[in-house]
Amino acid sequence: KIIAGKIVDKTTKELIEEGTLTLEDTKHQKRRSFRQILLNKIYADFDYNGKIFQMGEADEINFLRVKSAIDIATTSNDPKAIIEDVKYLKVEVPAGFEEKIKAIIKDKVTLSEVVQDLKINWRLKDNSVDSFTFGEINHIYLLWILRGTAAQEEYTTIATKTMKVKSLEELESIEWK
């Protein structure tokens, strides 16, 4: 263990008994270690139908762009702007796309379906590239958010339990993997 920048060859129990550490210090250390487990769970790779997505903190912006494109397109009332924006993306545009957009601009549900069916190439964890629809990417993002929410719930439960313990033995019995 490292205490005040020095390596100490003592157990936590010995450090508490001699007053170098308190049970409160140890609780906070344990909670910080659980916080790291939480982050590892949130940002772990994600398997979607056998395709492994890298889900690091910096990757979230890519998912947000797809979600934002769907949200913005389905709130627009300007078919020309949507058509031009989609062309700008250089994604695979299905035949008859322009006519569909013009015909359904007033029906936001149908417009959302059309935008969600657009294909986009996505780099996977192993640096291969595969094609997915905007809808699939949005669904993967939702699953990732839900996975993170579940992990956060687990963390909250275990962190609360950690801070309520009355002894080192109770604290050391708490595990989360």
Side-chain angles (χ1 to χ4, degrees), residues 1 3 6-23 25 168:
K1 296 189 183 1
I3 305 293
K6 296 180 183 176
I7 297 175
V8 179
D9 190 24
K10 293 183 180 179
T11 66
T12 303
K13 184 177 181 178
E14 290 170 328
L15 292 169
I16 290 173
E17 286 172 353
E18 72 182 26
T20 303
L21 284 179
T22 66
L23 181 59
D25 295 332
L168 181 59

Side-chain angles (χ1 to χ4, degrees), residues 65-80:
R65 274 195 279 268
V66 170
K67 182 191 178 325
S68 295
I70 293 168
D71 292 347
I72 292 166
T74 57
T75 59
S76 175
N77 291 319
D78 183 356
K80 286 182 181 178

Side-chain angles (χ1 to χ4, degrees), residues 20-110:
T20 303
L21 284 179
T22 66
L23 181 59
E24 288 303 310
D25 295 332
T26 309
K27 287 180 191 181
H28 287 284
Q29 288 173 355
K30 184 87 163 188
R31 194 172 74 184
R32 276 194 299 274
S33 73
F34 289 147
R35 175 88 175 134
Q36 187 56 53
I37 292 170
L38 169 64
L39 292 174
N40 292 345
K41 286 178 178 275
I42 290 172
Y43 294 114
D45 297 338
F46 193 82
D47 183 331
Y48 178 77
N49 295 334
K51 307 290 183 183
I52 307 299
F53 285 75
Q54 182 172 297
M55 306 302 272
E57 211 170 327
D59 298 302
E60 188 168 12
I61 190 73
N62 296 322
F63 289 92
L64 284 170
R65 274 195 279 268
V66 170
K67 182 191 178 325
S68 295
I70 293 168
D71 292 347
I72 292 166
T74 57
T75 59
S76 175
N77 291 319
D78 183 356
K80 286 182 181 178
I82 294 171
I83 293 163
E84 288 305 310
D85 292 345
V86 169
K87 286 179 181 176
Y88 178 79
L89 288 173
K90 298 179 183 166
V91 298
E92 181 183 318
V93 179
F97 180 76
E98 291 184 31
E99 290 74 29
K100 279 185 180 178
I101 294 295
K102 289 175 184 173
I104 63 175
I105 195 71
K106 290 182 177 27
D107 181 354
K108 300 302 182 186
V109 173
T110 306

